[in-house]
Amino acid sequence: MFFGISDYGAFVAAIVVFLAIPGPGNLALITSTSKGGVAGGLMATLGVIAGDQVLMWLAVAGVAAVLTTYPAAFVAIQWLGAVYLAWLGWKMLMAKPGDAPVLNIRPRQYFQQALAITLLNPKAIVFYMAFFPLFVDPQTHLGLISFAVMAATIAALTFLYGLGMTLLTHHLAERMRANPKVGQVLEKVAGIFLVGFGIKLAISK
């Protein structure tokens, strides 16, 4: 036991796997780094962490149960997130060479962008509500302390993952600047993925 968490090693391993799964957060991180360098990538990482922390503690507070009881609220937030992601993707697809980047290069806006993308995924609340009990032993659980350790672990792992992805993306971006067409193609691909994520969020049950 580690602060009331059963099989802490498995908990860490599961979080690492989930971080590596492609999704809007990863896409926002990569795009932010390619546009704003290491500073942009790190601010996006902090935005994802902040959003995750909000969703985790909402889950702990039982918001998932409220969303289940009032499905209309869940659907409304779900559609809001879907429209937001699709709108970002559409702007990327429609962008022309020389246009201002969809994600502004100022780190403050990268933080806000990643935070919004994370918060507008209501399914994450339900996910955390279902995920946390897998590693909680009712007999040894320490209440909020156990959840705080889980939240801190997720934040630390997300930061390390984000830092690694930022440095890797920045290294690749430096090489791609010699060929602007490659960057333009990647932006269109990113736009397609964002539109796809939005559609998936909208139609998923």
Side-chain angles (χ1 to χ4, degrees):
M1 291 295 172
F2 182 75
F3 287 98
I5 304 172
S6 60
D7 202 346
Y8 183 74
F11 174 77
V12 171
I15 295 301
V16 171
V17 171
F18 292 143
L19 286 173
I21 296 176
N26 269 310
L27 192 55
L29 173 61
I30 293 172
T31 304
S32 298
T33 304
S34 65
K35 297 292 185 181
V38 174
L42 290 180
M43 290 306 294
T45 299
L46 294 178
V48 171
I49 291 174
D52 270 340
Q53 291 297 309
V54 171
L55 295 179
M56 280 186 282
W57 287 106
L58 285 176
V60 171
V63 174
V66 175
L67 291 177
T68 302
T69 305
Y70 301 98
F74 181 88
V75 172
I77 299 175
Q78 187 176 25
W79 273 98
L80 180 61
V83 171
Y84 181 69
L85 292 179
W87 175 75
L88 285 178
W90 180 254
K91 287 188 67 176
M92 287 184 174
L93 288 174
M94 294 295 102
K96 298 179 181 179
D99 286 352
V102 175
L103 297 179
N104 197 291
I105 61 173
R106 287 181 288 180
R108 180 178 61 84
Q109 293 188 352
Y110 282 125
F111 176 88
Q112 294 173 341
Q113 194 84 66
L115 175 64
I117 288 176
T118 304
L119 289 178
L120 289 174
N121 183 11
K123 284 186 175 295
I125 302 176
V126 180
F127 167 78
Y128 284 125
M129 197 71 173
F131 179 71
F132 282 159
L134 298 176
F135 300 94
V136 170
D137 186 339
Q139 296 182 350
T140 60
H141 191 249
L142 302 179
L144 290 179
I145 294 178
S146 294
F147 287 120
V149 172
M150 287 179 167
T153 299
I154 293 175
L157 292 174
T158 302
F159 179 78
L160 292 175
Y161 175 81
L163 176 61
M165 286 295 295
T166 295
L167 295 177
L168 177 61
T169 302
H170 181 65
H171 174 71
L172 295 177
E174 288 290 340
R175 296 192 174 188
M176 288 189 298
R177 286 192 180 97
N179 189 346
K181 290 186 178 180
V182 174
Q184 294 169 13
V185 171
L186 290 179
E187 184 175 45
K188 303 304 180 186
V189 172
I192 292 173
F193 271 102
L194 274 179
V195 172
F197 289 138
I199 294 175
K200 179 180 179 182
L201 180 60
I203 66 176
S204 60
K205 303 296 182 181

